[in-house]
Amino acid sequence: MMERVTVSAEMTRALGARLGAELVTDDVIVLIGDLGSGKTVLAQGIARGLDIHAPVVSPTFTIAQEYDGRLHLNHLDVYRLDRVQEAIDLGLDELFEGSVTLVEWGDGVRDLLPVDRLEITLELLPPDEADDDVRRITFVPFGTWRDRARALDAIAGDANGIAR
């Protein structure tokens, strides 16, 4: 597990861009956090790192958006799904192959996610500790992501240096 702090939305995007530049086909990134914690901001950065130039918005109402860049990106928001069965009916598992997949609110469908994934939790710090743009970002690697932890630490460490 690694933890970093960003002090602005642009720093959060920059961290995402560094991560996106390192992603490979079949990578699954799970974004966890409360409303307004920065999940979509980080997703915008990841898309930037994948050389995606289209505007990236939260797919809350459409559930899924697709983007093409250096790699194909599936950006999912499973917040509105009431049951795990709905995710199964959507063919969620089929979206993980041949692309990079970002799953916002993915902690709700954790049982359907591949073992090889990176979970990223975003938290706004309490108002008495920081202003509205300061986020604590925690990376938890699973499966083969554990083998990539050193590279991930370097990516996240670069952003931490900028944030200070």
Side-chain angles (χ1 to χ4, degrees), residues 47-48 50-56 67-69:
R48 183 190 301 166
L50 291 169
D51 296 326
I52 294 169
H53 303 290
V56 173
Y67 303 94
D68 284 313

Side-chain angles (χ1 to χ4, degrees), residues 103-124:
V103 185
E104 292 191 35
W105 301 96
D107 49 331
V109 293
R110 201 173 259 133
D111 292 344
L112 300 177
L113 298 174
V115 172
D116 299 325
R117 67 182 184 273
L118 176 63
E119 292 189 2
I120 303 173
T121 301
L122 296 98
E123 302 171 88
L124 292 172

Side-chain angles (χ1 to χ4, degrees), residues 21 32-33 39-40 52 56 64 95 99 107 110 124 130 134 137 139 152 160 162:
I32 301 166
K39 294 180 299 294
T40 301
I52 294 169
V56 173
L95 295 175
S99 65
D107 49 331
R110 201 173 259 133
L124 292 172
V134 179
I137 304 174
F139 300 83
L152 182 61
N160 218 35
I162 292 170

Side-chain angles (χ1 to χ4, degrees), residues 86-97:
E86 289 181 60
I88 293 169
D89 293 344
L90 282 173
L92 185 65
D93 57 334
E94 295 171 16
L95 295 175
F96 300 136
E97 297 177 18

Side-chain angles (χ1 to χ4, degrees), residues 24-27 68 71-74 93-101:
V24 297
T25 300
D26 297 337
D27 276 345
D68 284 313
L71 299 172
H72 185 79
L73 173 65
N74 290 314
D93 57 334
E94 295 171 16
L95 295 175
F96 300 136
E97 297 177 18
S99 65
V100 170
T101 305

